[in-house]
Amino acid sequence: MKTRRDFIKLSALGSAAVLTNSCLASEKENNKKKTSQNKITKPIVISTWNHGVEANASAWKILNKGGTSLNAVEAGVRVTESDPNNSSVGIGGLPDRDGFVTLDACIMNHENECGAVAFLQDIENPISVARKVMEDTKHVLLVGEGAKQFAIEKGFKETNLLTEKSKVAWEKWKEQSKYQPVINSENHDTIGMLALDEKGNLSGACTTSGMAYKLHGRVGDSPIIGAGLFVDNEVGAACATGMGEAVIRIAGSAIVVELMRNGLSPYEACKEAVNRIVKKHKDLTNLQVGFLALNNHGEHGGYSVYKGFNYALQTNTQNEMIDTKFNKKSTR
Ligand code: SD4
């Protein structure tokens, strides 16, 4: 039987919970108010890692002239895909353990239209094939041989994506055949790009050669809408980089957008998603994940499991790299 004292204790606990919830709710409310009072920053483009600077410059040429965010993100990430010196995206990407360069990409616009390709070989610009899937078919995702056939039918050229440099690296790796993902290095870094155009429309693109020396047939988060990328024009957009399996497990980018819908800032939403990953993995060794988000007011933010994630930002007044905050300083 509950005594009066128990009842008072319970009531006190109840009030504390109500208070905590109402504090959280008022913080969210404040964020919402702040956002609606702020002037919208547009156009704006952000993208993951150092290679984002060059990619943003190409996207900016389109945004700056009043072009669409969709054209901007496609043109932007194509720069990285076509750079043979970049070993994690497009041509020059490090191969899987059997020596095949297999590419994953997706694109999404302000009308929730999206397209993706996965496990695509011999085509330099998978993001443009993903856009064709979005615009010319009723499907969202094409994979492997079917995706390649589709690309060729659409006029894409077959290209050998395994550069001499990547082949040499793969042959060296084969001496030990040890799969050891290295975080924050150029062999494990996707480009994800988010843009808001002059009309206030958001789009995003994500493209990668995935983890170096992965199992043949492995597909990560980058071509999965809701995992590697998600856009909802009513709220914002998000993309992910890092260990794709961990991102897929929490439907990462969709979660970041939902958190922003509930009133969190882009930074807070990325942080909450990363914290969820940290909480749900017993072994975090080398498990780097970074999220990047942009809301429809042009506010942006990012957060990662480990120190070392950064993103490139370009607006009318800013062109800079931003280091994100992180959950853990060292990799163990
Ligand atoms: C993946 N997130 O395939 C992608 C690419 C990557 O660091 O390795 N990024 O898991």
Side-chain angles (χ1 to χ4, degrees):
M1 211 177 77
K2 283 195 175 62
T3 61
R4 186 167 172 271
R5 184 173 292 195
D6 287 340
F7 178 75
I8 291 168
K9 245 199 247 165
L10 270 176
S11 306
L13 277 175
S15 317
V18 169
L19 257 181
T20 315
N21 283 340
S22 70
C23 285
L24 207 62
S26 78
E27 192 182 312
K28 284 176 184 173
E29 235 5 82
N30 282 342
N31 274 340
K32 271 188 188 158
K33 270 189 208 137
K34 256 192 268 161
T35 302
S36 59
Q37 280 159 11
N38 281 353
K39 197 174 144 286
I40 300 178
T41 304
K42 61 180 185 177
I44 175 171
V45 58
I46 55 175
S47 59
T48 55
W49 306 107
N50 292 330
H51 48 215
V53 174
E54 250 190 289
N56 282 0
S58 175
W60 189 252
K61 283 188 194 148
I62 293 170
L63 291 171
N64 199 26
K65 286 193 204 122
T68 67
S69 55
L70 184 67
N71 286 340
V73 295
E74 182 191 6
V77 303
R78 275 177 65 102
V79 171
T80 324
E81 288 180 337
S82 294
D83 177 359
N85 293 318
N86 185 306
S87 59
S88 57
V89 182
I91 191 164
L94 288 167
D96 64 17
R97 66 176 193 175
D98 299 334
F100 298 98
V101 180
T102 71
L103 305 179
D104 299 336
C106 72
I107 193 159
M108 189 161 189
N109 71 12
H110 66 288
E111 290 180 310
N112 273 64
E113 294 165 342
C114 47
V117 287
F119 193 53
L120 174 65
Q121 294 177 54
D122 307 318
I123 304 288
E124 187 174 311
N125 294 116
I127 199 66
S128 297
V129 186
R131 182 164 176 180
K132 288 274 179 216
V133 173
M134 173 175 109
E135 290 178 341
D136 295 1
T137 80
K138 289 196 181 331
H139 308 305
V140 166
L141 173 62
L142 293 182
V143 305
E145 202 46 43
K148 181 172 162 183
Q149 269 172 28
F150 171 78
I152 289 167
E153 275 163 30
K154 291 288 168 190
F156 289 82
K157 249 190 14 237
E158 262 189 88
T159 309
N160 174 22
L161 303 177
L162 187 64
T163 56
E164 205 40 46
K165 193 174 146 207
S166 291
K167 195 167 165 206
V168 168
W170 170 60
E171 270 156 5
K172 190 159 179 3
W173 171 82
K174 273 200 298 184
E175 288 166 17
Q176 290 204 321
S177 295
K178 206 161 132 200
Y179 178 64
Q180 218 172 20
V182 182
I183 63 168
N184 297 330
S185 83
E186 280 301 309
N187 68 3
H188 195 50
D189 301 334
T190 300
I191 180 146
M193 177 178 279
L194 310 170
L196 178 67
D197 62 30
E198 200 48 64
K199 288 201 169 127
N201 289 328
L202 285 162
S203 297
C206 187
T207 177
T208 190
S209 54
M211 288 178 187
Y213 319 128
K214 61 197 172 186
L215 279 182
H216 188 59
R218 180 262 184 192
V219 169
D221 61 314
S222 304
I224 311 292
I225 297 293
L229 175 72
F230 198 67
V231 178
D232 185 331
N233 219 45
E234 284 173 23
V235 179
C239 62
T241 179
M243 192 72 78
E245 284 75 3
V247 176
I248 293 172
R249 282 184 197 116
I250 65 150
S253 294
I255 284 294
V256 172
V257 171
E258 284 312 296
L259 289 164
M260 290 194 286
R261 193 192 307 280
N262 285 327
L264 297 199
S265 70
Y267 162 74
E268 290 164 341
C270 292
K271 184 176 175 184
E272 173 59 29
V274 162
N275 290 348
R276 200 171 292 191
I277 286 179
V278 169
K279 198 169 127 200
K280 291 195 185 289
H281 286 82
K282 286 185 193 90
D283 183 5
L284 287 167
T285 314
N286 284 326
L287 198 161
Q288 173 67 314
V289 168
F291 286 109
L292 197 54
L294 175 66
N295 68 17
N296 59 8
H297 280 71
E299 292 166 332
H300 52 90
Y303 198 82
S304 57
V305 175
Y306 291 110
K307 186 174 180 203
F309 176 44
N310 58 6
Y311 67 96
L313 160 73
Q314 181 141 17
T315 68
N316 276 318
T317 54
Q318 288 166 289
N319 183 5
E320 61 192 74
M321 288 304 302
I322 297 176
D323 289 327
T324 68
K325 291 195 175 146
F326 45 86
N327 185 293
K328 299 201 176 308
K329 222 178 202 151
S330 91
T331 57
R332 272 161 207 280

